[in-house]
């Protein structure tokens, strides 16, 4: 767990979110891939590959992976995960089969940062409430609306690994990249860091 957490926190791609405004104030990067891109995931992100292999259903053929760091004061607004819509627009992709969450590093003094799930057709009732802790693994249905409450207090970022598992119809699967990594960090700053002794 600690190894994966350090990998995320120290990765050169870690920067402001690549997701939408609901994730404002969070950090991370994202990976989209299909089954044929899994060997590239294994080569470039072996720790993420291990998580995928342990959690993915056999029928899943496309994935979206998001290492997510939420610092004090940040939150994630209510949403449903359909992150592959970047490639399927104007059509929406199906909901994920499921969403897998692994909490990699959660400070003992964390206040807030709870994962709130909304039952179907009951958008104003929040249950269950998942209190994160290091090592906790949790999965939920991909069509469930959810949010992360504001991190009121934490001595360090709340770090999780989120994976959306999809069963895409063939005509939409063709639009999904075999392996695609996205970061909001610009190439110049990555090169500058690499060249610094």
């Amino acid at each position: 767990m600690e190894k994966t957490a350090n990998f995320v926190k120290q990765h050169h791609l870690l920067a402001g979110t690549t997701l939408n405004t609901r994730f404002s104030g969070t950090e991370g990067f994202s990976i989209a891939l299909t089954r044929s891109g899994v060997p590239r995931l294994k080569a470039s992100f072996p720790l993420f590959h291990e998580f995928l292999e342990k959690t993915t259903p056999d029928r899943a053929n496309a994935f979206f992976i998001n290492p997510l760091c939420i610092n004090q004061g940040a939150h994630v607004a209510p949403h449903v995960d359909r992150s592959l819509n970047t490639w399927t627009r104007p059509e929406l992709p199906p909901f994920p089969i499921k969403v897998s969450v692994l909490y990699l590093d959660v400070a003992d003094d964390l206040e807030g940062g709870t994962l709130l799930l909304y039952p179907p057709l009951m958008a104003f009732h929040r249950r269950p409430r998942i209190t994160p802790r290091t090592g906790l693994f949790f999965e939920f249905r991909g069509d469930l609306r959810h949010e992360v409450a504001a991190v009121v207090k934490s001595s360090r970022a709340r770090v999780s690994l989120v994976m959306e598992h999809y069963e895409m119809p063939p005509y939409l699967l063709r639009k999904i990249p075999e392996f695609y990594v996205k970061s909001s960090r610009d190439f110049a700053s990555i090169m500058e860091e690499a060249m610094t002794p």
Side-chain angles (χ1 to χ4, degrees):
M1 200 69 54
E2 183 179 355
K3 184 178 180 182
T4 308
N6 289 335
F7 175 79
V8 170
K9 290 187 285 187
Q10 297 168 13
H11 203 282
H12 65 273
L13 293 176
L14 185 68
T17 185
T18 59
L19 303 173
N20 57 46
T21 55
R22 293 181 181 89
F23 290 77
S24 180
T26 68
E27 294 181 307
F29 57 94
S30 56
I31 305 167
L33 70 153
T34 62
R35 280 278 181 193
S36 59
V38 169
R40 292 178 65 185
L41 180 71
K42 184 176 183 179
S44 301
F45 300 92
L47 298 171
F48 297 175
H49 173 263
E50 183 180 339
F51 184 51
L52 183 145
E53 288 295 300
K54 288 180 178 178
T55 61
T56 193
D58 289 341
R59 62 193 175 103
N61 56 15
F63 312 92
F64 187 86
I65 303 169
N66 177 226
L68 180 64
C69 298
I70 306 178
N71 293 297
Q72 185 169 304
H75 73 286
V76 177
H79 67 286
V80 177
D81 290 328
R82 270 181 159 173
S83 303
L84 292 181
N85 68 351
T86 299
W87 293 276
T88 65
R89 289 174 182 153
E91 186 169 344
L92 281 173
F95 291 111
I97 300 167
K98 65 176 181 176
V99 178
S100 303
V101 181
L102 177 63
Y103 294 102
L104 301 174
D105 187 24
V106 179
D108 291 337
D109 64 351
L110 175 72
E111 292 180 18
T114 304
L115 174 64
L116 307 170
L117 295 169
Y118 296 86
L121 306 178
M122 298 174 66
F124 299 103
H125 292 80
R126 297 177 181 170
R127 59 183 130 166
R129 304 167 72 93
I130 308 301
T131 301
R133 67 176 187 277
T134 301
L136 177 65
F137 171 68
F138 179 73
E139 294 185 313
F140 59 92
R141 280 176 28 185
D143 62 346
L144 290 186
R145 194 164 176 255
H146 57 283
E147 67 177 295
V148 177
V151 174
V152 177
K153 175 187 172 187
S154 186
S155 54
R156 60 183 184 273
R158 168 197 182 278
V159 184
S160 60
L161 184 59
V162 181
M163 186 173 298
E164 302 168 23
H165 309 262
Y166 292 84
E167 183 178 16
M168 303 288 283
Y171 76 100
L172 286 181
L173 184 63
R174 287 192 290 270
K175 297 182 175 185
I176 309 301
E178 180 178 87
F179 185 78
Y180 182 88
V181 181
K182 184 177 181 182
S183 170
S184 65
R185 189 162 180 204
D186 63 84
F187 181 73
S189 66
I190 292 173
M191 287 304 296
E192 182 180 347
E193 181 180 288
M195 300 299 284
T196 302

